[in-house]
Amino acid sequence: MIRSVLTYDTTAKSQIRTITPELNELIIQSGIDNGTLLVYSLHTTLGLMVQETSEPNLCQDFIDYLTSRVENDGNVYHHRCALHPSGACVEDRFNAPSHIRQLLTNQSLMLDIQGGHLTLGQWQDVAFFELDGPRRGRQIRVKITPD
Amino acid sequence: MIRSVLTYDTTAKSQIRTITPELNELIIQSGIDNGTLLVYSLHTTLGLMVQETSEPNLCQDFIDYLTSRVENDGNVYHHRCALHPSGACVEDRFNAPSHIRQLLTNQSLMLDIQGGHLTLGQWQDVAFFELDGPRRGRQIRVKITPD
Amino acid sequence: MIRSVLTYDTTAKSQIRTITPELNELIIQSGIDNGTLLVYSLHTTLGLMVQETSEPNLCQDFIDYLTSRVENDGNVYHHRCALHPSGACVEDRFNAPSHIRQLLTNQSLMLDIQGGHLTLGQWQDVAFFELDGPRRGRQIRVKITPD
């Protein structure tokens, strides 16, 4: 069993990036031929998806859809980072739209591993969906467990 | 390995409530330091989410979004509890909007456990999202498995 | 531990079909009384859900909702199958709406098994949500692991 964290600097407000190669690389490093992979985001404005994310036009369609259906004006909403009871907010943000969009993605994925790589359909890739970028050091938790 | 059911009486038509403390308490009770937590709702109008749910204004934003994007008028839709083929419906409801909103949440979550508590990002909490309350005895299934 | 693939020919553009009986049959075949079931779609235009899918009017409501909220005109969007970098696309499609609708479903589900069957609430069933049918040979991956 191995745990790992994938870390990315994102480059746009909204960005979809395929991470299947990195996940398969972790599987190879683990030496696990058959098992299960758990992957989830450690952020509330970055989600995950299993989709045809190698096709960049489709990624733009996903971004356009979420951007048009959740208004891009944070002032429509009430949330401010500074209102979190922890008091840990350093830079205040009016980014409720980013949070709402993330709710509409997948937040936790389990996938099968067989023959040393992820079991995915022909058009499927795993990707992260950045919804509040650009940000440095975005983290994705990965855990690989043998059968 | 332990199984448990968390039970809640909800207090509003739509309500988001953080359950991270109860999940971490179950982990402590299990004596499992490193493992995996599975959590899912046993209802079709109550979902789950991983979000910044300690910030109550953001929770209201989530509720406002789903309420405005799925009409609150059950008569727009065709569903009635009494149409379920089991015949088990006691109190008929026209609550298709509650079901549709639940479809847009997460229905099953897996999360890593390390050092005796859930591995979550700084702003992340696990919460239930009641969409057809108030109801008594809402149940959430939890299963904790050691590595 | 057993792996299996459920295969279906779908019969409509959008179709919801309950698969709980097939999942419970696989559990019986596995001989596993207590464990965990992982299920996910191997397609990018067919998703999964846990809902009251034995009530056909509610299934129609889900279809109507996604169809009305994601325009049914693929030309609004930029995606074409032929743009996928693999070059594997045989029949070009302008089906971005089908992909976007699938993003709004669940893509990977974990559920508990106890006493030889899935642990589900009274109104819950597992179903697939075809969003780009009719298609032959749609595949759903299932993996059943004992406790």
Side-chain angles (χ1 to χ4, degrees):
Chain A
M1 193 273 308
I2 70 154
R3 288 179 169 84
S4 188
V5 174
L6 295 172
T7 304
Y8 297 92
D9 296 337
T10 61
T11 58
K13 169 75 176 175
S14 298
Q15 178 188 3
I16 293 171
R17 178 179 158 153
T18 300
I19 63 170
T20 314
E22 293 92 315
L23 295 176
N24 277 321
E25 181 58 36
L26 285 177
I27 293 168
I28 291 169
Q29 288 174 22
S30 75
I32 293 171
D33 278 336
N34 299 291
T36 309
L37 181 135
L38 166 64
V39 55
Y40 61 97
S41 164
L42 292 175
H43 304 277
T44 53
T45 55
L46 183 142
L48 296 177
M49 60 200 301
V50 180
Q51 260 293 346
E52 194 176 322
T53 53
S54 291
E55 205 290 80
N57 291 270
L58 181 58
C59 293
Q60 190 58 50
D61 289 336
F62 288 126
I63 291 169
D64 291 348
Y65 181 78
L66 285 187
T67 304
S68 66
R69 299 314 152 93
V70 184
E71 304 85 340
N72 215 13
D73 177 4
N75 296 305
V76 173
Y77 299 99
H78 305 94
H79 169 59
R80 288 172 52 199
C81 171
L83 296 170
H84 194 282
S86 68
C89 179
V90 174
E91 181 193 354
D92 200 10
R93 292 175 179 268
F94 295 82
N95 64 350
S98 306
H99 290 275
I100 295 171
R101 289 168 189 154
Q102 198 266 3
L103 178 65
L104 301 177
T105 67
N106 282 251
Q107 298 183 329
S108 160
L109 293 171
M110 289 285 282
L111 297 165
D112 190 31
I113 297 166
Q114 199 171 16
H117 57 80
L118 281 178
T119 300
L120 291 172
Q122 182 181 10
W123 305 104
Q124 287 183 314
D125 272 296
V126 184
F128 71 69
F129 200 153
E130 168 66 80
L131 293 155
D132 200 50
R135 300 267 198 121
R136 295 182 66 82
R138 294 296 236 178
Q139 295 185 311
I140 295 169
R141 184 72 166 185
V142 183
K143 185 174 174 179
I144 302 169
T145 309
D147 283 341
Chain B
M1 192 273 308
I2 70 155
R3 289 179 169 85
S4 188
V5 174
L6 295 172
T7 304
Y8 297 92
D9 296 336
T10 61
T11 58
K13 168 77 175 175
S14 299
Q15 178 188 3
I16 293 170
R17 179 180 156 152
T18 301
I19 63 170
T20 314
E22 292 93 315
L23 295 175
N24 277 321
E25 181 58 36
L26 285 176
I27 293 168
I28 291 169
Q29 288 174 22
S30 75
I32 294 171
D33 278 336
N34 299 292
T36 310
L37 180 136
L38 166 64
V39 56
Y40 61 98
S41 164
L42 293 176
H43 304 277
T44 53
T45 54
L46 182 143
L48 295 178
M49 61 199 301
V50 180
Q51 261 291 347
E52 195 176 322
T53 53
S54 292
E55 207 289 81
N57 291 269
L58 182 58
C59 293
Q60 190 59 49
D61 289 337
F62 288 125
I63 291 169
D64 291 349
Y65 181 78
L66 285 187
T67 304
S68 67
R69 299 315 151 93
V70 183
E71 304 87 337
N72 216 13
D73 177 4
N75 295 305
V76 172
Y77 298 98
H78 305 93
H79 169 59
R80 288 172 52 198
C81 171
L83 296 169
H84 194 283
S86 68
C89 180
V90 174
E91 181 192 355
D92 201 10
R93 292 175 179 268
F94 294 81
N95 64 350
S98 306
H99 289 277
I100 295 171
R101 290 168 189 155
Q102 198 266 3
L103 178 65
L104 301 176
T105 67
N106 283 252
Q107 296 182 329
S108 159
L109 293 171
M110 289 285 282
L111 297 166
D112 189 31
I113 297 165
Q114 199 171 16
H117 57 80
L118 283 178
T119 300
L120 291 171
Q122 182 180 10
W123 306 103
Q124 287 182 315
D125 272 295
V126 183
F128 72 68
F129 201 153
E130 169 66 79
L131 293 155
D132 200 48
R135 300 268 198 122
R136 296 181 68 81
R138 294 295 236 178
Q139 294 185 311
I140 296 170
R141 183 73 166 185
V142 183
K143 185 174 174 179
I144 302 169
T145 309
D147 282 342
Chain C
M1 194 274 309
I2 71 155
R3 288 179 170 83
S4 188
V5 174
L6 294 173
T7 304
Y8 297 92
D9 296 337
T10 62
T11 58
K13 169 75 174 175
S14 299
Q15 178 188 4
I16 293 170
R17 178 180 157 151
T18 300
I19 63 169
T20 314
E22 293 93 314
L23 296 175
N24 277 322
E25 181 58 36
L26 284 175
I27 293 168
I28 290 169
Q29 288 175 22
S30 75
I32 294 171
D33 278 336
N34 299 292
T36 309
L37 180 136
L38 167 64
V39 55
Y40 62 97
S41 164
L42 292 175
H43 304 277
T44 54
T45 54
L46 182 142
L48 296 178
M49 61 199 301
V50 180
Q51 260 293 347
E52 195 177 322
T53 54
S54 292
E55 206 289 82
N57 292 270
L58 181 59
C59 293
Q60 191 58 50
D61 289 335
F62 288 126
I63 291 170
D64 290 348
Y65 181 79
L66 284 187
T67 304
S68 67
R69 299 314 151 93
V70 184
E71 304 85 339
N72 216 13
D73 177 4
N75 296 305
V76 173
Y77 298 98
H78 306 92
H79 169 60
R80 289 172 50 198
C81 171
L83 296 169
H84 194 281
S86 68
C89 179
V90 174
E91 181 193 355
D92 201 9
R93 293 174 180 269
F94 295 82
N95 64 350
S98 307
H99 290 276
I100 295 171
R101 289 169 189 156
Q102 198 267 1
L103 178 65
L104 301 177
T105 67
N106 283 252
Q107 298 182 329
S108 160
L109 292 171
M110 289 285 281
L111 297 166
D112 189 31
I113 296 165
Q114 199 172 16
H117 57 80
L118 282 178
T119 301
L120 292 172
Q122 181 180 10
W123 305 104
Q124 287 183 315
D125 272 296
V126 183
F128 71 68
F129 201 154
E130 168 66 80
L131 292 155
D132 201 49
R135 300 268 199 121
R136 296 181 66 81
R138 295 295 237 178
Q139 294 185 310
I140 296 169
R141 184 70 165 186
V142 183
K143 185 174 174 180
I144 301 170
T145 309
D147 283 342

